[in-house]
Amino acid sequence: MATLVLQVPDESLVSKVKQACKMLMGVTSVKVQKPATKTKEYDITKTAGYREAMDDVKHGRVTHYTSVDDMFRSVLGEEAFSKLRSSNV
């Protein structure tokens, strides 16, 4: 059995095209498939995490570092950072 796919951009014509296809000799069934709904584009600015981050920026709850090493020194402390650096990790 062969399948024929028709695309009808004007939805008001779908029922007429369906009726016309049924009139063709040898056509056993006609099915209408609705187009897949478009997935909504993800907007990070609508998330709670984004709002919390912007609130942190607004209220000055952010820290700036000049480098990754500077950040690790601050977080780990100088002694732990030195051990980490000397272990070649």
Side-chain angles (χ1 to χ4, degrees):
M1 174 169 46
T3 301
L4 177 66
V5 178
L6 301 172
Q7 291 183 344
V8 182
D10 185 353
E11 287 193 39
S12 66
L13 297 176
V14 170
S15 64
K16 292 178 181 178
V17 171
K18 183 178 176 181
Q19 287 174 343
C21 289
K22 284 181 181 179
M23 287 190 243
L24 295 173
M25 191 170 82
V27 173
T28 57
S29 72
V30 178
K31 297 177 186 176
V32 176
Q33 181 180 0
K34 303 250 182 199
T37 58
K38 292 183 181 179
T39 58
K40 191 174 180 181
E41 193 170 314
Y42 182 71
D43 184 2
I44 194 168
T45 63
K46 305 293 184 204
T47 63
Y50 179 84
R51 289 191 302 270
E52 290 172 12
M54 292 300 103
D55 188 62
D56 286 341
V57 170
K58 180 180 177 180
H59 291 96
R61 297 185 296 256
V62 293
T63 306
H64 298 275
Y65 299 101
T66 57
S67 67
V68 173
D69 287 344
D70 185 30
M71 180 194 70
F72 279 113
R73 272 190 196 94
S74 175
V75 172
L76 300 174
E78 187 64 43
E79 186 178 332
F81 176 74
S82 296
K83 285 181 182 178
L84 180 67
R85 290 299 266 168
S86 65
S87 68
N88 293 326
V89 174

Coordinates of all heavy atoms in Angstrom, one line a residue:
M1 N 0.9 -1.2 0.0 CA 0.0 0.0 0.0 C 0.9 1.2 0.0 O 1.9 1.3 0.8 CB -0.9 0.0 1.2 CG -1.7 1.3 1.4 SD -3.0 1.3 2.6 CE -2.4 0.7 4.0
A2 N 0.6 2.2 -0.8 CA 1.3 3.4 -0.9 C 0.7 4.5 -0.1 O -0.5 4.5 0.2 CB 1.4 3.9 -2.4
T3 N 1.5 5.4 0.4 CA 1.0 6.5 1.2 C 1.3 7.8 0.5 O 2.4 8.0 0.0 CB 1.6 6.5 2.6 OG1 1.3 5.3 3.2 CG2 1.1 7.7 3.5
L4 N 0.3 8.7 0.4 CA 0.5 10.0 -0.2 C 0.4 11.1 0.9 O -0.6 11.1 1.6 CB -0.5 10.2 -1.3 CG -0.6 11.5 -2.0 CD1 0.7 11.7 -2.9 CD2 -1.8 11.6 -2.9
V5 N 1.3 12.0 1.0 CA 1.3 13.0 2.0 C 1.0 14.4 1.3 O 1.8 14.7 0.4 CB 2.6 13.1 2.8 CG1 2.6 14.2 3.8 CG2 2.9 11.8 3.5
L6 N 0.0 15.1 1.7 CA -0.3 16.4 1.2 C -0.1 17.4 2.3 O -0.5 17.2 3.4 CB -1.7 16.4 0.7 CG -2.2 15.4 -0.4 CD1 -3.7 15.5 -0.6 CD2 -1.4 15.7 -1.7
Q7 N 0.4 18.6 1.9 CA 0.5 19.6 2.9 C -0.4 20.7 2.4 O -0.3 21.2 1.3 CB 2.0 20.2 3.0 CG 2.9 19.2 3.6 CD 4.3 19.8 3.8 OE1 4.7 20.8 3.1 NE2 5.1 19.1 4.6
V8 N -1.3 21.1 3.3 CA -2.3 22.1 2.9 C -2.1 23.3 3.9 O -2.5 23.2 5.1 CB -3.7 21.6 3.1 CG1 -4.8 22.6 2.7 CG2 -3.9 20.3 2.2
P9 N -1.5 24.4 3.4 CA -1.2 25.5 4.3 C -2.5 26.3 4.8 O -2.5 26.8 5.9 CB -0.3 26.5 3.5 CG -0.4 26.0 2.1 CD -1.0 24.6 2.1
D10 N -3.5 26.3 4.0 CA -4.8 26.9 4.5 C -5.7 25.9 5.1 O -6.3 25.1 4.5 CB -5.4 27.5 3.2 CG -6.7 28.4 3.6 OD1 -7.1 28.4 4.8 OD2 -7.2 29.0 2.7
E11 N -5.8 26.0 6.5 CA -6.5 25.0 7.2 C -8.0 25.0 6.8 O -8.7 24.0 7.0 CB -6.4 25.2 8.7 CG -5.0 24.8 9.2 CD -4.9 24.7 10.7 OE1 -5.9 24.3 11.3 OE2 -3.9 25.2 11.2
S12 N -8.5 26.1 6.3 CA -9.9 26.1 5.9 C -10.2 25.2 4.7 O -11.4 24.8 4.5 CB -10.4 27.5 5.6 OG -9.7 28.0 4.5
L13 N -9.2 24.8 4.0 CA -9.4 23.9 2.8 C -9.2 22.4 3.2 O -9.5 21.6 2.3 CB -8.4 24.3 1.7 CG -8.5 25.7 1.1 CD1 -7.4 26.0 0.2 CD2 -9.9 25.9 0.5
V14 N -8.7 22.1 4.3 CA -8.4 20.7 4.7 C -9.6 19.8 4.5 O -9.5 18.7 3.9 CB -7.9 20.6 6.1 CG1 -7.7 19.2 6.6 CG2 -6.5 21.3 6.2
S15 N -10.8 20.2 5.0 CA -11.9 19.3 4.9 C -12.3 19.1 3.4 O -12.7 18.0 3.0 CB -13.1 19.9 5.7 OG -13.5 21.1 5.1
K16 N -12.2 20.1 2.6 CA -12.5 20.0 1.1 C -11.5 19.1 0.4 O -11.9 18.2 -0.4 CB -12.6 21.4 0.5 CG -13.7 22.2 0.9 CD -13.7 23.6 0.3 CE -14.8 24.4 0.8 NZ -14.8 25.8 0.2
V17 N -10.2 19.2 0.8 CA -9.2 18.3 0.2 C -9.5 16.9 0.6 O -9.4 16.0 -0.2 CB -7.8 18.8 0.6 CG1 -6.8 17.8 0.1 CG2 -7.5 20.2 -0.1
K18 N -9.8 16.7 1.9 CA -10.1 15.4 2.4 C -11.3 14.7 1.6 O -11.2 13.6 1.2 CB -10.4 15.5 3.9 CG -10.7 14.1 4.6 CD -10.9 14.3 6.0 CE -11.2 13.0 6.7 NZ -11.5 13.1 8.1
Q19 N -12.4 15.5 1.4 CA -13.5 15.0 0.7 C -13.1 14.6 -0.7 O -13.6 13.6 -1.3 CB -14.6 16.0 0.7 CG -15.3 16.2 2.0 CD -16.3 17.4 2.0 OE1 -16.3 18.2 1.1 NE2 -17.2 17.4 2.9
A20 N -12.3 15.5 -1.4 CA -11.9 15.2 -2.8 C -11.1 14.0 -2.8 O -11.2 13.2 -3.8 CB -11.1 16.4 -3.3
C21 N -10.2 13.8 -1.9 CA -9.4 12.6 -1.9 C -10.2 11.3 -1.7 O -9.9 10.3 -2.3 CB -8.3 12.6 -0.8 SG -7.0 13.9 -1.1
K22 N -11.2 11.4 -0.9 CA -12.1 10.2 -0.7 C -12.8 9.8 -2.0 O -13.2 8.7 -2.2 CB -13.1 10.5 0.4 CG -12.6 10.5 1.8 CD -13.7 10.7 2.8 CE -13.1 10.7 4.2 NZ -14.2 11.0 5.2
M23 N -13.0 10.8 -2.9 CA -13.8 10.5 -4.1 C -12.9 9.8 -5.2 O -13.4 9.3 -6.1 CB -14.3 11.8 -4.7 CG -15.4 12.4 -4.0 SD -16.1 13.7 -5.0 CE -15.8 15.1 -3.8
L24 N -11.6 9.8 -4.9 CA -10.7 9.2 -5.9 C -10.8 7.7 -5.8 O -10.9 7.1 -4.8 CB -9.2 9.6 -5.6 CG -8.9 11.1 -5.8 CD1 -7.5 11.3 -5.3 CD2 -9.0 11.5 -7.3
M25 N -10.8 7.0 -7.0 CA -10.9 5.6 -7.1 C -9.7 4.9 -6.4 O -8.6 5.3 -6.7 CB -11.1 5.1 -8.5 CG -11.5 3.7 -8.7 SD -11.9 3.3 -10.4 CE -10.3 3.1 -11.1
G26 N -9.9 4.0 -5.6 CA -8.8 3.2 -5.0 C -8.3 3.8 -3.6 O -7.5 3.1 -2.9
V27 N -8.8 4.9 -3.2 CA -8.4 5.5 -1.9 C -9.3 4.8 -0.8 O -10.5 4.8 -0.9 CB -8.7 7.0 -1.9 CG1 -8.4 7.6 -0.5 CG2 -7.8 7.7 -2.9
T28 N -8.6 4.2 0.1 CA -9.3 3.4 1.2 C -9.5 4.2 2.4 O -10.4 4.0 3.2 CB -8.6 2.1 1.5 OG1 -7.2 2.4 1.9 CG2 -8.6 1.2 0.3
S29 N -8.6 5.1 2.7 CA -8.8 6.0 3.9 C -8.0 7.3 3.8 O -7.0 7.4 3.1 CB -8.3 5.2 5.2 OG -6.9 5.2 5.2
V30 N -8.5 8.3 4.5 CA -7.9 9.6 4.5 C -7.8 10.1 5.9 O -8.8 10.1 6.6 CB -8.7 10.6 3.6 CG1 -8.1 12.0 3.7 CG2 -8.9 10.2 2.2
K31 N -6.6 10.4 6.3 CA -6.4 10.8 7.7 C -5.8 12.2 7.7 O -5.0 12.6 6.9 CB -5.4 9.9 8.4 CG -5.9 8.5 8.6 CD -4.9 7.6 9.2 CE -5.4 6.2 9.2 NZ -4.4 5.3 9.8
V32 N -6.2 13.0 8.6 CA -5.7 14.4 8.8 C -4.9 14.4 10.0 O -5.3 14.0 11.1 CB -6.9 15.4 8.9 CG1 -6.3 16.8 9.2 CG2 -7.7 15.4 7.7
Q33 N -3.6 14.9 9.8 CA -2.7 15.0 11.0 C -2.4 16.5 11.2 O -2.0 17.2 10.3 CB -1.4 14.3 10.7 CG -0.4 14.3 11.8 CD 0.8 13.5 11.5 OE1 1.0 13.0 10.4 NE2 1.8 13.5 12.4
K34 N -2.7 16.9 12.4 CA -2.4 18.3 12.7 C -0.9 18.5 12.9 O -0.2 17.6 13.3 CB -3.1 18.7 14.0 CG -4.6 18.5 14.0 CD -5.3 19.8 14.1 CE -6.8 19.5 14.1 NZ -7.6 20.5 13.7
P35 N -0.4 19.7 12.5 CA 1.0 20.0 12.7 C 1.4 19.9 14.1 O 0.6 20.3 15.0 CB 1.2 21.4 12.1 CG -0.2 22.0 12.0 CD -1.2 20.9 12.0
A36 N 2.6 19.5 14.4 CA 3.1 19.5 15.8 C 3.2 20.9 16.3 O 3.5 21.8 15.6 CB 4.5 18.8 15.8
T37 N 2.8 21.0 17.6 CA 2.8 22.3 18.2 C 4.3 22.7 18.4 O 5.1 21.9 18.8 CB 2.1 22.3 19.5 OG1 2.6 21.3 20.4 CG2 0.6 22.0 19.3
K38 N 4.5 23.9 18.3 CA 5.9 24.4 18.5 C 6.2 24.4 20.0 O 5.4 24.8 20.8 CB 6.1 25.8 17.9 CG 6.0 25.9 16.4 CD 6.2 27.3 15.9 CE 6.1 27.4 14.4 NZ 6.3 28.7 13.9
T39 N 7.4 24.0 20.3 CA 7.8 24.0 21.7 C 8.1 25.5 22.1 O 8.7 26.2 21.3 CB 9.0 23.1 22.0 OG1 10.1 23.5 21.2 CG2 8.7 21.7 21.7
K40 N 7.7 25.8 23.3 CA 7.9 27.2 23.7 C 9.4 27.4 24.0 O 10.1 26.6 24.5 CB 7.2 27.4 25.0 CG 7.1 28.9 25.4 CD 6.2 29.0 26.6 CE 6.2 30.5 27.1 NZ 5.4 30.7 28.2
E41 N 9.9 28.5 23.5 CA 11.3 28.8 23.7 C 11.6 29.1 25.1 O 10.9 29.8 25.8 CB 11.7 30.1 22.8 CG 13.2 30.3 22.7 CD 13.6 31.3 21.7 OE1 13.0 31.3 20.6 OE2 14.4 32.2 22.1
Y42 N 12.7 28.5 25.6 CA 13.1 28.6 27.0 C 13.6 30.0 27.3 O 14.5 30.5 26.6 CB 14.2 27.6 27.3 CG 14.6 27.6 28.8 CD1 13.7 27.1 29.8 CD2 15.8 28.0 29.2 CE1 14.1 27.1 31.1 CE2 16.2 28.0 30.5 CZ 15.4 27.6 31.5 OH 15.8 27.6 32.8
D43 N 13.0 30.7 28.3 CA 13.5 32.0 28.7 C 14.0 32.0 30.1 O 13.2 31.9 31.1 CB 12.3 33.0 28.6 CG 12.7 34.4 28.9 OD1 13.9 34.7 29.1 OD2 11.8 35.3 28.8
I44 N 15.3 32.0 30.2 CA 16.0 31.9 31.5 C 15.6 33.1 32.5 O 15.6 32.9 33.7 CB 17.5 31.8 31.4 CG1 18.1 31.4 32.7 CG2 18.1 33.1 30.9 CD1 19.5 31.0 32.6
T45 N 15.2 34.2 31.9 CA 14.9 35.4 32.7 C 13.6 35.2 33.5 O 13.3 35.9 34.4 CB 14.8 36.7 31.9 OG1 13.7 36.5 31.0 CG2 16.1 37.0 31.2
K46 N 12.8 34.1 33.2 CA 11.6 33.9 33.9 C 11.8 32.9 35.0 O 10.8 32.5 35.7 CB 10.5 33.3 32.9 CG 10.3 34.1 31.7 CD 9.6 35.4 32.1 CE 9.3 36.2 30.8 NZ 9.1 37.6 31.0
T47 N 13.0 32.4 35.3 CA 13.2 31.4 36.3 C 13.5 32.0 37.6 O 14.0 33.1 37.7 CB 14.4 30.5 35.9 OG1 15.6 31.3 35.8 CG2 14.2 29.8 34.6
A48 N 13.2 31.2 38.7 CA 13.4 31.7 40.0 C 14.9 31.9 40.3 O 15.3 32.9 41.0 CB 12.9 30.7 41.1
G49 N 15.8 31.0 39.8 CA 17.2 31.2 39.9 C 17.8 32.5 39.4 O 18.6 33.1 40.0
Y50 N 17.2 32.8 38.2 CA 17.7 34.1 37.6 C 17.2 35.3 38.4 O 18.0 36.2 38.7 CB 17.1 34.2 36.2 CG 17.5 35.5 35.5 CD1 18.7 35.6 34.8 CD2 16.6 36.6 35.5 CE1 19.0 36.7 34.1 CE2 17.0 37.8 34.8 CZ 18.2 37.8 34.2 OH 18.5 39.0 33.5
R51 N 16.0 35.2 38.9 CA 15.5 36.4 39.7 C 16.3 36.5 41.0 O 16.7 37.6 41.5 CB 14.0 36.2 40.1 CG 13.1 36.4 38.8 CD 11.7 36.5 39.2 NE 11.2 35.3 39.9 CZ 10.7 34.2 39.3 NH1 10.6 34.2 38.0 NH2 10.3 33.2 39.9
E52 N 16.7 35.3 41.6 CA 17.5 35.3 42.8 C 18.9 35.9 42.5 O 19.4 36.7 43.3 CB 17.7 33.9 43.4 CG 16.4 33.4 44.0 CD 16.5 31.9 44.4 OE1 17.6 31.4 44.4 OE2 15.5 31.3 44.7
A53 N 19.5 35.5 41.4 CA 20.8 36.0 41.0 C 20.8 37.5 40.8 O 21.7 38.3 41.3 CB 21.3 35.3 39.8
M54 N 19.7 38.0 40.2 CA 19.6 39.5 39.9 C 19.4 40.2 41.2 O 19.9 41.3 41.4 CB 18.5 39.8 38.9 CG 18.8 39.3 37.5 SD 20.2 40.0 36.8 CE 21.4 38.7 36.9
D55 N 18.7 39.6 42.2 CA 18.5 40.2 43.5 C 19.9 40.3 44.2 O 20.2 41.3 44.9 CB 17.5 39.4 44.3 CG 17.2 40.1 45.6 OD1 16.6 41.2 45.6 OD2 17.4 39.5 46.7
D56 N 20.7 39.2 44.1 CA 22.0 39.3 44.7 C 22.9 40.4 44.1 O 23.5 41.1 44.8 CB 22.7 37.9 44.5 CG 22.2 36.8 45.3 OD1 21.5 37.1 46.3 OD2 22.4 35.6 45.0
V57 N 22.8 40.6 42.8 CA 23.6 41.7 42.1 C 23.0 43.0 42.6 O 23.8 43.9 43.0 CB 23.4 41.6 40.6 CG1 24.0 42.8 39.9 CG2 24.1 40.3 40.1
K58 N 21.7 43.2 42.7 CA 21.1 44.4 43.1 C 21.5 44.8 44.5 O 21.8 46.0 44.8 CB 19.6 44.3 43.0 CG 18.8 45.5 43.4 CD 17.3 45.3 43.3 CE 16.5 46.5 43.8 NZ 15.1 46.2 43.6
H59 N 21.7 43.8 45.4 CA 22.0 44.1 46.8 C 23.5 43.9 47.1 O 23.9 43.9 48.3 CB 21.1 43.2 47.7 CG 19.7 43.6 47.7 ND1 18.8 43.0 46.9 CD2 19.0 44.6 48.3 CE1 17.6 43.5 47.0 NE2 17.7 44.5 47.9
G60 N 24.3 43.8 46.1 CA 25.7 43.7 46.3 C 26.3 42.4 46.9 O 27.4 42.4 47.4
R61 N 25.5 41.3 46.8 CA 26.0 40.1 47.3 C 26.7 39.3 46.3 O 26.4 38.1 46.0 CB 24.8 39.3 47.8 CG 24.0 40.0 49.0 CD 22.9 39.1 49.5 NE 21.9 38.9 48.6 CZ 20.7 39.5 48.6 NH1 20.4 40.3 49.5 NH2 19.8 39.2 47.7
V62 N 27.7 39.9 45.6 CA 28.5 39.2 44.6 C 30.0 39.5 45.0 O 30.3 40.5 45.6 CB 28.2 39.7 43.2 CG1 26.9 39.3 42.8 CG2 28.4 41.2 43.1
T63 N 30.9 38.6 44.5 CA 32.3 38.8 44.8 C 33.0 38.7 43.4 O 32.7 37.8 42.6 CB 32.8 37.6 45.7 OG1 32.0 37.7 46.9 CG2 34.3 37.8 46.1
H64 N 34.0 39.5 43.2 CA 34.7 39.5 42.0 C 36.1 39.1 42.3 O 36.7 39.5 43.3 CB 34.8 40.9 41.3 CG 33.4 41.4 41.0 ND1 32.8 41.1 39.8 CD2 32.5 42.2 41.6 CE1 31.6 41.7 39.7 NE2 31.4 42.3 40.8
Y65 N 36.7 38.2 41.4 CA 38.0 37.7 41.6 C 38.8 38.1 40.3 O 38.3 38.2 39.2 CB 38.1 36.2 41.8 CG 37.3 35.8 43.0 CD1 36.1 35.3 43.0 CD2 38.0 35.9 44.2 CE1 35.4 34.9 44.1 CE2 37.3 35.5 45.4 CZ 36.0 35.0 45.3 OH 35.4 34.6 46.5
T66 N 40.1 38.3 40.5 CA 41.0 38.6 39.3 C 41.4 37.4 38.5 O 41.7 37.5 37.4 CB 42.2 39.4 39.8 OG1 42.9 38.6 40.7 CG2 41.9 40.7 40.4
S67 N 41.3 36.2 39.2 CA 41.7 35.0 38.5 C 41.1 33.8 39.2 O 40.5 33.9 40.4 CB 43.2 34.8 38.5 OG 43.7 34.6 39.8
V68 N 41.1 32.6 38.6 CA 40.7 31.4 39.3 C 41.5 31.1 40.5 O 41.0 30.7 41.6 CB 40.7 30.2 38.3 CG1 40.4 28.9 39.0 CG2 39.7 30.5 37.1
D69 N 42.8 31.3 40.4 CA 43.7 31.1 41.6 C 43.3 32.0 42.7 O 43.2 31.5 43.9 CB 45.1 31.3 41.2 CG 45.7 30.2 40.3 OD1 45.1 29.1 40.3 OD2 46.8 30.4 39.7
D70 N 42.9 33.2 42.4 CA 42.5 34.2 43.5 C 41.2 33.7 44.2 O 41.1 33.8 45.4 CB 42.3 35.5 42.8 CG 42.0 36.6 43.8 OD1 42.4 36.5 45.0 OD2 41.3 37.6 43.4
M71 N 40.3 33.1 43.3 CA 39.1 32.6 43.9 C 39.3 31.4 44.8 O 38.8 31.4 45.9 CB 38.1 32.2 42.8 CG 36.8 31.6 43.3 SD 35.8 30.7 42.1 CE 36.8 29.3 41.9
F72 N 40.2 30.5 44.4 CA 40.5 29.3 45.2 C 41.2 29.7 46.5 O 41.0 29.1 47.5 CB 41.2 28.2 44.4 CG 40.3 27.4 43.6 CD1 40.4 27.5 42.2 CD2 39.4 26.5 44.2 CE1 39.6 26.7 41.4 CE2 38.6 25.7 43.4 CZ 38.7 25.8 42.0
R73 N 42.1 30.7 46.4 CA 42.8 31.2 47.6 C 41.8 31.7 48.6 O 41.8 31.4 49.8 CB 43.7 32.3 47.3 CG 45.1 31.8 46.9 CD 46.1 33.0 46.8 NE 47.2 32.7 46.1 CZ 47.5 32.8 44.8 NH1 46.5 33.4 44.0 NH2 48.6 32.4 44.2
S74 N 40.8 32.4 48.1 CA 39.8 33.0 49.0 C 38.9 31.9 49.6 O 38.5 31.9 50.8 CB 38.9 34.0 48.2 OG 37.9 34.5 49.0
V75 N 38.5 31.0 48.8 CA 37.5 29.9 49.2 C 38.2 28.9 50.1 O 37.7 28.5 51.2 CB 36.9 29.2 48.0 CG1 36.1 28.0 48.4 CG2 36.0 30.2 47.2
L76 N 39.4 28.4 49.7 CA 40.1 27.3 50.4 C 41.0 27.9 51.5 O 41.3 27.1 52.5 CB 40.9 26.5 49.5 CG 40.2 25.8 48.3 CD1 41.1 25.2 47.4 CD2 39.2 24.8 48.9
G77 N 41.5 29.1 51.4 CA 42.5 29.6 52.3 C 43.9 29.3 51.7 O 44.0 28.4 50.9
E78 N 44.8 30.1 52.1 CA 46.2 30.1 51.4 C 46.8 28.7 51.6 O 47.4 28.2 50.7 CB 47.0 31.2 52.0 CG 48.4 31.3 51.3 CD 48.2 31.7 49.9 OE1 47.4 32.6 49.5 OE2 49.0 31.1 49.0
E79 N 46.7 28.1 52.8 CA 47.4 26.9 53.1 C 46.9 25.7 52.2 O 47.6 25.0 51.6 CB 47.3 26.5 54.6 CG 48.1 25.3 55.0 CD 48.0 25.0 56.4 OE1 47.8 25.9 57.2 OE2 48.1 23.8 56.8
A80 N 45.5 25.6 52.2 CA 44.9 24.5 51.4 C 45.2 24.8 49.9 O 45.4 23.8 49.1 CB 43.4 24.5 51.7
F81 N 45.2 26.0 49.5 CA 45.4 26.3 48.1 C 46.9 25.9 47.7 O 47.1 25.4 46.7 CB 45.2 27.8 47.8 CG 45.6 28.2 46.4 CD1 44.7 27.9 45.4 CD2 46.7 28.9 46.2 CE1 45.0 28.3 44.1 CE2 47.0 29.3 44.9 CZ 46.2 29.0 43.8
S82 N 47.8 26.2 48.6 CA 49.2 25.9 48.3 C 49.4 24.4 48.2 O 50.1 23.9 47.3 CB 50.1 26.4 49.5 OG 50.1 27.8 49.5
K83 N 48.7 23.6 49.1 CA 48.7 22.1 49.0 C 48.1 21.7 47.7 O 48.7 20.7 47.1 CB 48.0 21.5 50.2 CG 48.7 21.6 51.5 CD 47.9 20.9 52.6 CE 48.6 21.1 53.9 NZ 47.8 20.5 55.0
L84 N 47.0 22.3 47.3 CA 46.4 21.9 46.1 C 47.3 22.1 44.9 O 47.4 21.3 44.0 CB 45.1 22.7 45.9 CG 44.3 22.4 44.6 CD1 43.7 21.0 44.7 CD2 43.1 23.4 44.5
R85 N 47.9 23.3 44.8 CA 48.8 23.6 43.7 C 50.0 22.7 43.7 O 50.5 22.4 42.6 CB 49.3 25.1 43.8 CG 48.2 26.1 43.6 CD 47.6 26.0 42.2 NE 48.3 26.9 41.3 CZ 48.2 26.9 40.0 NH1 47.4 26.0 39.4 NH2 48.8 27.7 39.3
S86 N 50.6 22.4 44.9 CA 51.8 21.5 44.9 C 51.5 20.1 44.5 O 52.4 19.3 44.2 CB 52.4 21.6 46.3 OG 51.6 21.1 47.3
S87 N 50.2 19.7 44.6 CA 49.8 18.3 44.3 C 49.6 18.1 42.8 O 49.3 17.0 42.4 CB 48.6 17.9 45.1 OG 47.5 18.6 44.6
N88 N 49.7 19.1 42.0 CA 49.6 19.1 40.6 C 48.2 18.6 40.1 O 48.1 17.8 39.2 CB 50.7 18.2 39.9 CG 52.0 18.9 40.1 OD1 52.1 20.1 40.0 ND2 53.0 18.0 40.2
V89 N 47.2 18.9 40.8 CA 45.8 18.5 40.5 C 45.2 19.5 39.5 O 45.4 20.6 39.4 CB 44.9 18.5 41.7 CG1 43.5 18.2 41.4 CG2 45.4 17.5 42.7

